[in-house]
Amino acid sequence: MDGFPRPKVLVSRCLEFENVRYDGHVISSQIVEDLEPYVDYIKVCPEVEIGLGVPRDPIRIVKINGRYRLIQHRTNRDITEEMDKFTDDFLGKLQDVDGFIFKSGSPTIGYRNIKVYSGMESATVIEKGSGFFAAKILERYNGYPVEENDRLRNGRIRHHFLTNLFAFTEFRRIKSKESIDELIKYHKKHHYLFLTYNIKIYNELESLIKNCFDITIKTLFDNYEYHLKELFSKPPISEYYLQTANTIFSQFSSKVPQSEIEYFNQVLEKYKQNLITLHGLLEILKLYVLRFDNTGIKDDRLFHPYPTKLQPSVDEDRDKDYWK
């Protein structure tokens, strides 16, 4: 049922794989572990790649005379040029990639909120940004699915990242084949998912599909990719899921007994009040889709945007014996 392609994901080597963190440790990451059966990882540790040992003195980003430098502050060693050269060489050889999982807090491969200091020891933090290595990736692969390990512990962030990753990967595979027919099927399969994310951008995508034979294939796919990145730049709020659920349910509500209509409205209200999860709402909605719809809504990626086994447990301690 799932039928997902395997994304190629660049990941920090210290997350689950190797003891290459500056203190010689490996960092546990549930999302990296969960994803391993479903993706092909491209592992990298920029600091080790330029010859820094394990363990090693920590490094930091320092702003000196308006320029950002990467420095081992205890030894005052400046490794900016070495890191820039490695990054440029690495990206020049990097082939297909669909997404990125960076290491939180890393001055090289950190995604956001990386501290920039005014100097060496006892210096103050003057701003925050991305790590040296990560910043160049974000520039070159603008709009690709990107997250970092600490943020991916949050359920909403994890759900959005996985949804984005698998939708984007599937699109890239279709784009590589330049198949208009496959793109039309892809668009239809993501109808309600895209509609939930952003109605305005969905309409832009819909317009491209309707006029797909009036423009060149390159223009079609380039424009579709541009809007797809724009669509996934921000996850939908709960109100948008409510609107989509109402839209779907209304299509066959005439077939539903009045008592069940009232029940479903109560379910919507519970979701609105944050008393049931999004997955709970969608499971109940899908039950009605299976009962009353014959147009194929059940196959929409709204209901299964990524492999089912990647959905995290709602309550990991559900069966824990607190009374033992």
Side-chain angles (χ1 to χ4, degrees):
M1 182 66 188
D2 286 342
F4 293 97
R6 291 179 66 86
K8 296 181 179 179
V9 179
L10 187 142
V11 64
S12 177
R13 279 169 58 190
C14 68
L15 298 177
E16 286 291 335
F17 296 111
E18 299 178 50
N19 298 68
V20 292
R21 192 170 183 258
Y22 76 92
D23 57 4
H25 293 160
V26 63
I27 307 300
S28 176
S29 175
Q30 190 64 54
I31 184 66
V32 172
E33 181 181 340
D34 291 346
L35 268 173
E36 191 165 13
Y38 303 96
V39 307
D40 294 321
Y41 279 127
I42 303 167
K43 306 161 195 172
V44 63
C45 176
E47 295 166 39
V48 169
E49 298 292 349
I50 66 170
L52 299 183
V54 182
R56 57 185 174 273
D57 288 328
I59 58 179
R60 64 169 50 170
I61 301 174
V62 180
K63 195 171 185 179
I64 303 174
N65 297 325
R67 297 183 63 194
Y68 297 96
R69 310 298 297 180
L70 196 59
I71 297 176
Q72 276 188 323
H73 54 281
R74 290 181 184 172
T75 62
N76 205 30
R77 177 183 172 184
D78 190 325
I79 58 172
T80 306
E81 277 70 31
E82 294 170 81
M83 185 58 65
D84 280 340
K85 183 180 185 307
F86 164 72
T87 303
D88 292 340
D89 290 345
F90 180 87
L91 293 181
K93 298 174 183 176
L94 184 61
Q95 298 180 349
D96 286 344
V97 64
D98 301 301
F100 304 85
I101 299 178
F102 292 142
K103 169 64 184 70
S104 302
S106 169
T108 57
I109 198 169
Y111 172 32
R112 57 172 70 200
N113 293 322
I114 306 304
K115 296 175 181 178
V116 177
Y117 292 86
S118 59
M120 302 303 172
E121 294 293 340
S122 303
T124 58
V125 176
I126 55 176
E127 60 184 81
K128 294 183 179 181
S130 299
F132 260 63
F133 179 83
K136 289 193 175 185
I137 285 181
L138 293 171
E139 181 179 359
R140 175 174 289 202
Y141 294 95
N142 181 40
Y144 277 56
V146 176
E147 263 305 341
E148 55 188 9
N149 61 308
D150 280 352
R151 280 172 49 86
L152 284 167
R153 295 174 183 172
N154 176 277
R156 187 177 177 219
I157 294 174
R158 173 180 168 130
H159 178 71
H160 170 63
F161 173 74
L162 292 177
T163 300
N164 186 4
L165 176 64
F166 283 92
F168 190 65
T169 300
E170 192 171 357
F171 169 77
R172 278 176 35 81
R173 300 297 183 270
I174 294 170
K175 182 181 179 182
S176 68
K177 294 188 271 187
E178 296 187 335
S179 171
I180 294 179
D181 288 342
E182 290 296 315
L183 180 62
I184 293 172
K185 292 177 184 177
Y186 171 87
H187 182 74
K188 181 179 180 181
K189 183 165 56 177
H190 290 80
H191 172 81
Y192 286 108
L193 177 66
F194 290 172
L195 200 62
T196 303
Y197 260 78
N198 190 304
I199 295 175
K200 181 179 178 181
I201 298 174
Y202 169 80
N203 288 333
E204 296 286 348
L205 294 171
E206 182 76 0
S207 177
L208 281 171
I209 294 298
K210 287 181 178 178
N211 299 288
C212 63
F213 294 106
D214 298 329
I215 55 179
T216 66
I217 288 180
K218 184 179 187 308
T219 300
L220 169 65
F221 278 98
D222 285 350
N223 288 349
Y224 198 98
E225 181 174 356
Y226 172 82
H227 289 303
L228 191 63
K229 291 177 178 178
E230 189 181 18
L231 181 89
F232 281 114
S233 64
K234 190 175 181 180
I237 59 176
S238 60
E239 180 183 347
Y240 297 168
Y241 282 107
L242 284 168
Q243 291 172 359
T244 298
N246 265 316
T247 297
I248 293 174
F249 190 78
S250 65
Q251 294 187 42
F252 42 78
S253 58
S254 60
K255 306 174 186 178
V256 180
Q258 183 60 35
S259 60
E260 293 188 31
I261 293 177
E262 293 173 1
Y263 164 75
F264 187 73
N265 287 333
Q266 291 172 7
V267 169
L268 293 178
E269 185 61 28
K270 285 182 178 180
Y271 175 71
K272 184 177 181 180
Q273 295 179 16
N274 201 22
L275 298 177
I276 63 171
T277 66
L278 171 62
H279 292 296
L281 170 63
L282 293 179
E283 286 298 317
I284 293 170
L285 177 60
K286 189 174 181 180
L287 179 62
Y288 284 98
V289 169
L290 291 170
R291 284 177 63 190
F292 299 107
D293 179 71
N294 59 5
T295 64
I297 295 176
K298 66 180 178 63
D299 296 323
D300 196 279
R301 287 296 191 213
L302 174 71
F303 294 107
H304 41 93
Y306 45 82
T308 304
K309 290 185 178 180
L310 287 176
Q311 183 177 326
S313 300
V314 176
D315 181 4
E316 293 182 355
D317 295 325
R318 182 179 64 179
D319 294 323
K320 183 176 181 179
D321 188 354
Y322 291 99
W323 297 267
K324 186 174 181 181

mmCIF file of all heavy atoms in Angstrom, residues 2 4 159 162-167 170 190 193 197 241 279 282 300-308 311:
data_model
loop_
_atom_site.group_PDB
_atom_site.id
_atom_site.type_symbol
_atom_site.label_atom_id
_atom_site.label_comp_id
_atom_site.label_asym_id
_atom_site.label_seq_id
_atom_site.Cartn_x
_atom_site.Cartn_y
_atom_site.Cartn_z
ATOM 1 N N ASP A 2 2.000 1.206 0.761
ATOM 2 C CA ASP A 2 2.800 2.409 0.914
ATOM 3 C C ASP A 2 3.435 2.836 -0.414
ATOM 4 O O ASP A 2 3.226 3.934 -0.890
ATOM 5 C CB ASP A 2 3.871 2.196 1.982
ATOM 6 C CG ASP A 2 3.288 2.208 3.391
ATOM 7 O OD1 ASP A 2 2.168 2.702 3.564
ATOM 8 O OD2 ASP A 2 3.971 1.722 4.297
ATOM 9 N N PHE A 4 6.555 3.709 -1.342
ATOM 10 C CA PHE A 4 7.400 4.894 -1.287
ATOM 11 C C PHE A 4 8.794 4.601 -1.838
ATOM 12 O O PHE A 4 9.360 3.549 -1.579
ATOM 13 C CB PHE A 4 7.537 5.376 0.160
ATOM 14 C CG PHE A 4 6.264 5.912 0.760
ATOM 15 C CD1 PHE A 4 5.465 5.105 1.558
ATOM 16 C CD2 PHE A 4 5.867 7.219 0.522
ATOM 17 C CE1 PHE A 4 4.297 5.590 2.111
ATOM 18 C CE2 PHE A 4 4.700 7.717 1.079
ATOM 19 C CZ PHE A 4 3.910 6.907 1.870
ATOM 20 N N HIS A 159 6.563 14.825 12.005
ATOM 21 C CA HIS A 159 5.521 14.519 11.020
ATOM 22 C C HIS A 159 5.691 15.374 9.767
ATOM 23 O O HIS A 159 5.604 14.871 8.637
ATOM 24 C CB HIS A 159 4.145 14.745 11.641
ATOM 25 C CG HIS A 159 3.006 14.502 10.705
ATOM 26 N ND1 HIS A 159 2.647 13.238 10.285
ATOM 27 C CD2 HIS A 159 2.146 15.359 10.092
ATOM 28 C CE1 HIS A 159 1.613 13.319 9.455
ATOM 29 N NE2 HIS A 159 1.297 14.598 9.323
ATOM 30 N N LEU A 162 8.954 14.247 7.769
ATOM 31 C CA LEU A 162 8.770 12.985 7.052
ATOM 32 C C LEU A 162 7.805 13.156 5.877
ATOM 33 O O LEU A 162 8.028 12.598 4.798
ATOM 34 C CB LEU A 162 8.250 11.913 8.004
ATOM 35 C CG LEU A 162 9.226 11.442 9.088
ATOM 36 C CD1 LEU A 162 8.554 10.423 10.007
ATOM 37 C CD2 LEU A 162 10.484 10.839 8.465
ATOM 38 N N THR A 163 6.734 13.911 6.085
ATOM 39 C CA THR A 163 5.794 14.176 4.999
ATOM 40 C C THR A 163 6.499 14.868 3.844
ATOM 41 O O THR A 163 6.353 14.485 2.669
ATOM 42 C CB THR A 163 4.629 15.045 5.497
ATOM 43 O OG1 THR A 163 3.940 14.365 6.558
ATOM 44 C CG2 THR A 163 3.636 15.345 4.378
ATOM 45 N N ASN A 164 7.267 15.884 4.164
ATOM 46 C CA ASN A 164 8.019 16.640 3.164
ATOM 47 C C ASN A 164 9.043 15.746 2.469
ATOM 48 O O ASN A 164 9.156 15.726 1.238
ATOM 49 C CB ASN A 164 8.715 17.813 3.862
ATOM 50 C CG ASN A 164 9.419 18.747 2.896
ATOM 51 O OD1 ASN A 164 9.356 18.596 1.687
ATOM 52 N ND2 ASN A 164 10.115 19.717 3.440
ATOM 53 N N LEU A 165 9.790 14.975 3.250
ATOM 54 C CA LEU A 165 10.863 14.143 2.704
ATOM 55 C C LEU A 165 10.348 13.144 1.676
ATOM 56 O O LEU A 165 10.896 13.029 0.571
ATOM 57 C CB LEU A 165 11.570 13.404 3.840
ATOM 58 C CG LEU A 165 12.672 12.416 3.422
ATOM 59 C CD1 LEU A 165 13.825 13.146 2.755
ATOM 60 C CD2 LEU A 165 13.174 11.635 4.635
ATOM 61 N N PHE A 166 9.286 12.417 2.006
ATOM 62 C CA PHE A 166 8.813 11.374 1.100
ATOM 63 C C PHE A 166 8.062 11.953 -0.098
ATOM 64 O O PHE A 166 8.146 11.414 -1.207
ATOM 65 C CB PHE A 166 7.975 10.354 1.864
ATOM 66 C CG PHE A 166 8.813 9.400 2.664
ATOM 67 C CD1 PHE A 166 9.134 9.665 3.987
ATOM 68 C CD2 PHE A 166 9.325 8.253 2.087
ATOM 69 C CE1 PHE A 166 9.939 8.797 4.722
ATOM 70 C CE2 PHE A 166 10.138 7.381 2.806
ATOM 71 C CZ PHE A 166 10.443 7.650 4.130
ATOM 72 N N ALA A 167 7.359 13.063 0.098
ATOM 73 C CA ALA A 167 6.691 13.708 -1.040
ATOM 74 C C ALA A 167 7.712 14.295 -1.998
ATOM 75 O O ALA A 167 7.576 14.182 -3.227
ATOM 76 C CB ALA A 167 5.742 14.799 -0.541
ATOM 77 N N GLU A 170 9.580 11.473 -3.913
ATOM 78 C CA GLU A 170 8.749 10.906 -4.974
ATOM 79 C C GLU A 170 8.691 11.839 -6.175
ATOM 80 O O GLU A 170 8.771 11.401 -7.333
ATOM 81 C CB GLU A 170 7.344 10.633 -4.434
ATOM 82 C CG GLU A 170 6.492 9.801 -5.358
ATOM 83 C CD GLU A 170 5.185 9.348 -4.714
ATOM 84 O OE1 GLU A 170 4.959 9.627 -3.508
ATOM 85 O OE2 GLU A 170 4.389 8.708 -5.423
ATOM 86 N N HIS A 190 -1.728 13.379 -4.162
ATOM 87 C CA HIS A 190 -1.433 14.306 -3.066
ATOM 88 C C HIS A 190 -2.473 15.423 -2.963
ATOM 89 O O HIS A 190 -2.235 16.430 -2.286
ATOM 90 C CB HIS A 190 -0.043 14.916 -3.267
ATOM 91 C CG HIS A 190 1.089 13.953 -3.069
ATOM 92 N ND1 HIS A 190 1.483 13.054 -4.042
ATOM 93 C CD2 HIS A 190 1.905 13.737 -2.011
ATOM 94 C CE1 HIS A 190 2.501 12.344 -3.597
ATOM 95 N NE2 HIS A 190 2.771 12.728 -2.370
ATOM 96 N N LEU A 193 -3.662 16.272 0.671
ATOM 97 C CA LEU A 193 -2.500 16.640 1.474
ATOM 98 C C LEU A 193 -2.031 18.045 1.102
ATOM 99 O O LEU A 193 -1.833 18.902 1.984
ATOM 100 C CB LEU A 193 -1.361 15.638 1.254
ATOM 101 C CG LEU A 193 -0.060 15.970 2.000
ATOM 102 C CD1 LEU A 193 -0.260 15.862 3.506
ATOM 103 C CD2 LEU A 193 1.072 15.067 1.531
ATOM 104 N N TYR A 197 -2.072 21.762 3.215
ATOM 105 C CA TYR A 197 -0.882 22.561 3.499
ATOM 106 C C TYR A 197 -1.081 24.033 3.130
ATOM 107 O O TYR A 197 -0.778 24.920 3.935
ATOM 108 C CB TYR A 197 0.323 21.988 2.747
ATOM 109 C CG TYR A 197 1.199 21.130 3.634
ATOM 110 C CD1 TYR A 197 0.827 19.827 3.956
ATOM 111 C CD2 TYR A 197 2.390 21.615 4.158
ATOM 112 C CE1 TYR A 197 1.615 19.036 4.782
ATOM 113 C CE2 TYR A 197 3.190 20.832 4.981
ATOM 114 C CZ TYR A 197 2.794 19.548 5.296
ATOM 115 O OH TYR A 197 3.572 18.767 6.126
ATOM 116 N N TYR A 241 -6.470 21.284 8.842
ATOM 117 C CA TYR A 241 -6.875 19.880 8.875
ATOM 118 C C TYR A 241 -8.382 19.757 9.104
ATOM 119 O O TYR A 241 -9.043 18.891 8.518
ATOM 120 C CB TYR A 241 -6.111 19.131 9.972
ATOM 121 C CG TYR A 241 -4.703 18.767 9.590
ATOM 122 C CD1 TYR A 241 -3.625 19.440 10.146
ATOM 123 C CD2 TYR A 241 -4.445 17.748 8.674
ATOM 124 C CE1 TYR A 241 -2.315 19.110 9.796
ATOM 125 C CE2 TYR A 241 -3.156 17.416 8.318
ATOM 126 C CZ TYR A 241 -2.090 18.098 8.878
ATOM 127 O OH TYR A 241 -0.811 17.765 8.524
ATOM 128 N N HIS A 279 -3.718 12.051 14.143
ATOM 129 C CA HIS A 279 -3.812 10.679 13.645
ATOM 130 C C HIS A 279 -5.164 10.068 14.028
ATOM 131 O O HIS A 279 -5.749 9.301 13.255
ATOM 132 C CB HIS A 279 -2.664 9.834 14.194
ATOM 133 C CG HIS A 279 -1.326 10.229 13.652
ATOM 134 N ND1 HIS A 279 -1.001 10.121 12.317
ATOM 135 C CD2 HIS A 279 -0.227 10.748 14.263
ATOM 136 C CE1 HIS A 279 0.233 10.542 12.126
ATOM 137 N NE2 HIS A 279 0.727 10.931 13.292
ATOM 138 N N LEU A 282 -7.786 11.498 11.618
ATOM 139 C CA LEU A 282 -7.675 10.952 10.268
ATOM 140 C C LEU A 282 -8.104 9.484 10.204
ATOM 141 O O LEU A 282 -8.672 9.044 9.197
ATOM 142 C CB LEU A 282 -6.237 11.106 9.753
ATOM 143 C CG LEU A 282 -5.768 12.546 9.508
ATOM 144 C CD1 LEU A 282 -4.320 12.567 9.034
ATOM 145 C CD2 LEU A 282 -6.669 13.258 8.507
ATOM 146 N N ASP A 300 -5.259 8.875 -0.893
ATOM 147 C CA ASP A 300 -4.603 10.178 -0.819
ATOM 148 C C ASP A 300 -3.508 10.165 0.244
ATOM 149 O O ASP A 300 -3.660 9.574 1.317
ATOM 150 C CB ASP A 300 -5.630 11.268 -0.495
ATOM 151 C CG ASP A 300 -5.105 12.661 -0.788
ATOM 152 O OD1 ASP A 300 -4.354 13.198 0.065
ATOM 153 O OD2 ASP A 300 -5.435 13.222 -1.851
ATOM 154 N N ARG A 301 -2.390 10.830 -0.050
ATOM 155 C CA ARG A 301 -1.261 10.873 0.879
ATOM 156 C C ARG A 301 -1.599 11.608 2.179
ATOM 157 O O ARG A 301 -0.823 11.539 3.137
ATOM 158 C CB ARG A 301 -0.059 11.533 0.212
ATOM 159 C CG ARG A 301 0.631 10.672 -0.827
ATOM 160 C CD ARG A 301 1.233 9.431 -0.203
ATOM 161 N NE ARG A 301 2.124 8.724 -1.119
ATOM 162 C CZ ARG A 301 2.289 7.426 -1.138
ATOM 163 N NH1 ARG A 301 1.601 6.673 -0.288
ATOM 164 N NH2 ARG A 301 3.116 6.850 -1.978
ATOM 165 N N LEU A 302 -2.718 12.255 2.247
ATOM 166 C CA LEU A 302 -3.156 12.837 3.511
ATOM 167 C C LEU A 302 -3.217 11.767 4.588
ATOM 168 O O LEU A 302 -2.869 12.017 5.749
ATOM 169 C CB LEU A 302 -4.540 13.487 3.343
ATOM 170 C CG LEU A 302 -5.205 14.018 4.617
ATOM 171 C CD1 LEU A 302 -4.487 15.268 5.121
ATOM 172 C CD2 LEU A 302 -6.686 14.309 4.382
ATOM 173 N N PHE A 303 -3.651 10.565 4.210
ATOM 174 C CA PHE A 303 -3.853 9.488 5.175
ATOM 175 C C PHE A 303 -2.589 8.666 5.436
ATOM 176 O O PHE A 303 -2.476 8.021 6.471
ATOM 177 C CB PHE A 303 -4.973 8.562 4.695
ATOM 178 C CG PHE A 303 -6.317 9.227 4.653
ATOM 179 C CD1 PHE A 303 -6.902 9.562 3.441
ATOM 180 C CD2 PHE A 303 -6.999 9.532 5.821
ATOM 181 C CE1 PHE A 303 -8.148 10.183 3.388
ATOM 182 C CE2 PHE A 303 -8.236 10.151 5.790
ATOM 183 C CZ PHE A 303 -8.816 10.478 4.572
ATOM 184 N N HIS A 304 -1.675 8.661 4.507
ATOM 185 C CA HIS A 304 -0.416 7.912 4.711
ATOM 186 C C HIS A 304 0.707 8.620 3.949
ATOM 187 O O HIS A 304 1.138 8.183 2.882
ATOM 188 C CB HIS A 304 -0.550 6.451 4.268
ATOM 189 C CG HIS A 304 -1.308 6.262 2.991
ATOM 190 N ND1 HIS A 304 -0.684 6.194 1.774
ATOM 191 C CD2 HIS A 304 -2.628 6.145 2.756
ATOM 192 C CE1 HIS A 304 -1.591 6.039 0.824
ATOM 193 N NE2 HIS A 304 -2.770 6.008 1.389
ATOM 194 N N PRO A 305 1.212 9.728 4.509
ATOM 195 C CA PRO A 305 2.229 10.525 3.810
ATOM 196 C C PRO A 305 3.625 9.915 3.828
ATOM 197 O O PRO A 305 4.496 10.346 3.075
ATOM 198 C CB PRO A 305 2.214 11.849 4.576
ATOM 199 C CG PRO A 305 1.741 11.481 5.948
ATOM 200 C CD PRO A 305 0.751 10.363 5.748
ATOM 201 N N TYR A 306 3.836 8.914 4.698
ATOM 202 C CA TYR A 306 5.128 8.231 4.776
ATOM 203 C C TYR A 306 4.875 6.825 5.297
ATOM 204 O O TYR A 306 3.759 6.527 5.753
ATOM 205 C CB TYR A 306 6.111 8.989 5.665
ATOM 206 C CG TYR A 306 5.544 9.477 6.976
ATOM 207 C CD1 TYR A 306 5.443 8.647 8.091
ATOM 208 C CD2 TYR A 306 5.106 10.794 7.112
ATOM 209 C CE1 TYR A 306 4.932 9.096 9.302
ATOM 210 C CE2 TYR A 306 4.590 11.265 8.320
ATOM 211 C CZ TYR A 306 4.506 10.421 9.401
ATOM 212 O OH TYR A 306 3.989 10.860 10.596
ATOM 213 N N PRO A 307 5.859 5.925 5.219
ATOM 214 C CA PRO A 307 5.632 4.540 5.662
ATOM 215 C C PRO A 307 5.016 4.467 7.053
ATOM 216 O O PRO A 307 5.455 5.153 7.983
ATOM 217 C CB PRO A 307 7.036 3.938 5.631
ATOM 218 C CG PRO A 307 7.730 4.694 4.541
ATOM 219 C CD PRO A 307 7.212 6.100 4.634
ATOM 220 N N THR A 308 4.007 3.624 7.183
ATOM 221 C CA THR A 308 3.216 3.545 8.412
ATOM 222 C C THR A 308 4.063 3.286 9.649
ATOM 223 O O THR A 308 3.811 3.845 10.726
ATOM 224 C CB THR A 308 2.154 2.433 8.273
ATOM 225 O OG1 THR A 308 1.361 2.688 7.108
ATOM 226 C CG2 THR A 308 1.261 2.392 9.490
ATOM 227 N N GLN A 311 5.410 6.107 11.934
ATOM 228 C CA GLN A 311 4.565 6.865 12.855
ATOM 229 C C GLN A 311 4.978 6.515 14.285
ATOM 230 O O GLN A 311 4.986 5.346 14.662
ATOM 231 C CB GLN A 311 3.098 6.523 12.641
ATOM 232 C CG GLN A 311 2.146 7.321 13.519
ATOM 233 C CD GLN A 311 0.695 6.998 13.205
ATOM 234 O OE1 GLN A 311 0.341 6.723 12.055
ATOM 235 N NE2 GLN A 311 -0.155 7.032 14.234
#
